[in-house]
């Protein structure tokens, strides 16, 4: 799965880097009240994050890349309106979607048709069980690891997005934008950390993945994109708390921390 990640690129710089239109400022109000600008080394579910989509300005024009701010945790259009006017989120947080279920799951299948996106990140965190560290009567502790691109560039994860409006809202009211990260079976050294991993999409396939006028590419769903770019390192237990947020979270664990879980 992918439940926590790091991203340090400002949306405007991201848009410039990937030749996209920066719509993040316009969409921030529609996705939540958190500012997505600046580095976030401990992105947690429900945080407002940057995503990349391809959309048309006019029905007949060519679709273009756009950077938009979205809530991490997909809210399907059919979710009921809560008393406060927001979505009723009593159910599970849809932060991840299994690659083998996106075209059949009621929560994801409509988005899979023409609302596919990319979620940029520096890397993500995963926790590996340590059976040898367990003691009688206590839960098995886990060691945090950071998976990142060893070339220093961003990774782009396959995602789905959607729009939600409260019941009775005017048609011209801005919708709530939300997204989920698609996961697949872990491969290579990553499988030693966790059995699931985000589905990476390599640069040559970005536009094919996001194309709003084409059906989903089943081949990309079965692939591992940029697997060969990903490196792994053990990191500090500081990442265990969402209150901690700084570059020290992605630094290699100190020797005295290793094996003390």
């Amino acid at each position: 799965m992918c439940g926590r990640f790091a991203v340090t690129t400002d949306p405007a710089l991201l848009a410039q880097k990937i030749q996209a239109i920066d719509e993040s400022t316009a969409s921030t109000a529609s996705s939540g009240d958190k500012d997505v600008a600046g580095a976030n080394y401990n992105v947690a579910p429900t945080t407002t994050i940057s995503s990349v989509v391809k959309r048309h300005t006019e029905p007949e024009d060519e679709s273009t890349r756009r950077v938009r701010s979205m809530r991490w945790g997909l809210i399907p259009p059919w979710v009921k309106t809560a008393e406060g006017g927001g979505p009723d989120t009593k159910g599970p947080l849809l932060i991840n979607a299994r690659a083998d279920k996106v075209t059949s799951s009621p929560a994801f299948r409509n988005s899979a048709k023409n609302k596919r996106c990319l979620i940029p990140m520096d890397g993500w965190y995963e926790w590996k069980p340590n059976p040898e560290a367990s003691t009688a009567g206590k839960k098995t502790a886990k060691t945090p690891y950071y998976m990142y691109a060893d070339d220093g560039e961003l990774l782009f994860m396959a995602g789905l997005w959607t729009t939600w409006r409260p019941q009775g809202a005017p048609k011209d009211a801005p919708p709530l934008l939300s997204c989920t990260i698609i996961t697949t079976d872990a491969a290579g050294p990553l499988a030693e950390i966790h059995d699931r991993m985000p589905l990476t999409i390599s640069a040559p396939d970005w536009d094919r993945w996001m194309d709003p006028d084409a059906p989903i590419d089943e081949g990309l769903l079965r692939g591992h994109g940029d697997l060969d770019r990903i490196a792994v390192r053990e990191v500090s237990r500081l990442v265990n708390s969402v209150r901690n947020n700084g570059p020290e979270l992605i630094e290699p664990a100190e020797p005295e921390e290793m094996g003390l879980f």
Side-chain angles (χ1 to χ4, degrees):
M1 63 175 293
C2 178
R4 213 88 65 74
F5 66 90
V7 61
T8 61
T9 302
D10 179 90
L13 294 177
L14 169 65
Q16 184 178 11
K17 187 180 183 69
I18 65 171
Q19 299 180 323
I21 300 170
D22 181 16
E23 296 181 341
S24 60
T25 301
S27 57
T28 295
S30 302
S31 56
D33 56 3
K34 293 184 180 180
D35 187 356
V36 297
N40 190 340
Y41 293 90
N42 207 348
V43 179
T46 74
T47 299
T48 298
I49 62 174
S50 293
S51 67
V52 185
V53 303
K54 282 198 77 176
R55 307 307 286 174
H56 296 280
T57 301
E58 299 294 338
E60 301 301 322
D61 68 4
E62 184 177 353
S63 60
T64 54
R65 297 177 187 171
R66 294 130 190 271
V67 174
R68 292 180 175 176
S69 299
M70 298 188 185
R71 176 190 187 272
W72 182 24
L74 189 135
I75 301 172
W78 39 260
V79 167
K80 295 181 179 179
T81 304
E83 286 187 10
D88 184 346
T89 56
K90 294 178 182 177
L93 285 174
L94 302 178
I95 61 171
N96 291 159
R98 291 181 61 97
D100 57 341
K101 301 288 187 181
V102 295
T103 58
S104 59
S105 168
F108 304 125
R109 61 192 179 197
N110 284 336
S111 292
K113 292 178 182 177
N114 59 15
K115 285 187 172 67
R116 302 179 296 274
C117 63
L118 295 170
I119 309 297
M121 63 177 69
D122 293 45
W124 78 98
Y125 302 99
E126 201 56 78
W127 284 259
K128 180 180 179 180
N130 284 308
E132 70 280 359
S134 63
T135 56
K138 294 184 179 181
K139 291 183 178 180
T140 302
K142 295 182 179 181
T143 302
Y145 286 85
Y146 181 58
M147 280 59 69
Y148 61 100
D150 60 5
D151 57 9
E153 296 294 327
L154 287 167
L155 291 166
F156 288 80
M157 308 308 184
L160 304 173
W161 67 282
T162 193
T163 59
W164 179 89
R165 287 182 173 85
Q167 185 177 7
K171 291 184 178 180
D172 58 351
L176 171 66
L177 307 182
S178 62
C179 61
T180 187
I181 296 173
I182 297 177
T183 65
T184 188
D185 292 333
L190 303 186
E192 299 177 10
I193 308 298
H194 197 277
D195 62 346
R196 305 290 296 175
M197 63 175 285
L199 175 63
T200 58
I201 303 292
S202 56
D205 295 323
W206 289 351
D207 291 324
R208 184 152 55 107
W209 170 255
M210 295 186 292
D211 189 348
D213 304 311
I216 195 167
D217 189 314
E218 298 283 352
L220 293 179
L221 280 177
R222 293 190 294 269
H224 278 92
D226 285 334
L227 181 64
D228 59 345
R229 294 176 53 218
I230 300 174
V232 182
R233 64 170 171 252
E234 183 179 339
V235 292
S236 168
R237 287 172 291 175
L238 289 171
V239 73
N240 292 355
S241 172
V242 295
R243 294 188 296 270
N244 297 324
N245 196 327
E248 66 276 7
L249 300 187
I250 65 172
E251 294 298 321
E254 296 293 336
E256 60 267 22
E257 286 189 303
M258 295 184 179
L260 295 182
F261 297 87

